[in-house]
Amino acid sequence: VQLQASGGGLVQAGGSLRLSCAASGLTFKNYGMGWFRQAPGKEREFVATISRSGGNTYYADSMKGRLTISRDDAKNTVYLQMNSLKPEDTAVYYCAAVRSLSLLGYFYTAERYNYWGQGTLVTVSS
């Protein structure tokens, strides 16, 4: 299984980025997907998740209103649109996949996830 995250980069505060995560080696429609992040010197934290069907999404309070997570099962890809970025959003962003029996179930604890990508760095300058 491979999860290839991309789309990170350097952006000014107030700017936007769209992260992508392309999955291979798994039956994508059977997995919920999530994004987590880890800033320097801090623990990994939950950012956003989307259910297998795409019908349910859930966001971290710290970023709620600035994020949209979506998925394209035809492309085996999950996206994270991030707007109004702040310097405190600077981190390595990781995508992850969780095997789910429920079409609408969503998961925000890292321990539930089965597979992880390598991460993409987002740097927000002030």
Side-chain angles (χ1 to χ4, degrees), residues 8-13 17 85-87 89-91 93 121-125:
L10 175 64
V11 63
Q12 287 189 332
L17 281 176
L85 285 163
K86 305 174 182 180
D89 295 322
T90 294
Y93 285 71
L121 176 62
V122 172
T123 304
V124 185
S125 62

Side-chain angles (χ1 to χ4, degrees), residues 1-115:
V1 174
Q2 284 194 328
L3 301 176
Q4 184 70 41
S6 61
L10 175 64
V11 63
Q12 287 189 332
S16 298
L17 281 176
R18 188 175 84 151
L19 307 183
S20 300
C21 175
S24 60
L26 52 74
T27 304
F28 189 70
K29 66 179 182 179
N30 290 341
Y31 286 79
M33 300 298 295
W35 288 94
F36 293 76
R37 69 183 183 182
Q38 187 166 19
K42 296 187 177 181
E43 293 192 351
R44 181 176 54 189
E45 63 177 353
F46 166 76
V47 174
T49 184
I50 187 167
S51 63
R52 278 178 56 188
S53 68
N56 271 339
T57 58
Y58 185 73
Y59 301 98
D61 287 343
S62 61
M63 299 190 76
K64 197 172 292 183
R66 300 189 290 126
L67 299 177
T68 303
I69 187 171
S70 60
R71 62 187 294 156
D72 184 340
D73 286 4
K75 296 182 178 180
N76 285 5
T77 300
V78 62
Y79 303 97
L80 184 68
Q81 177 68 43
M82 303 189 295
N83 300 323
S84 302
L85 285 163
K86 305 174 182 180
E88 52 263 42
D89 295 322
T90 294
V92 177
Y93 285 71
Y94 298 91
C95 63
V98 54
R99 182 71 171 91
S100 174
L101 298 179
S102 168
L103 288 172
L104 294 175
Y106 58 91
F107 308 90
Y108 48 84
T109 54
E111 291 73 18
R112 293 296 305 273
Y113 284 77
N114 305 108
Y115 303 107

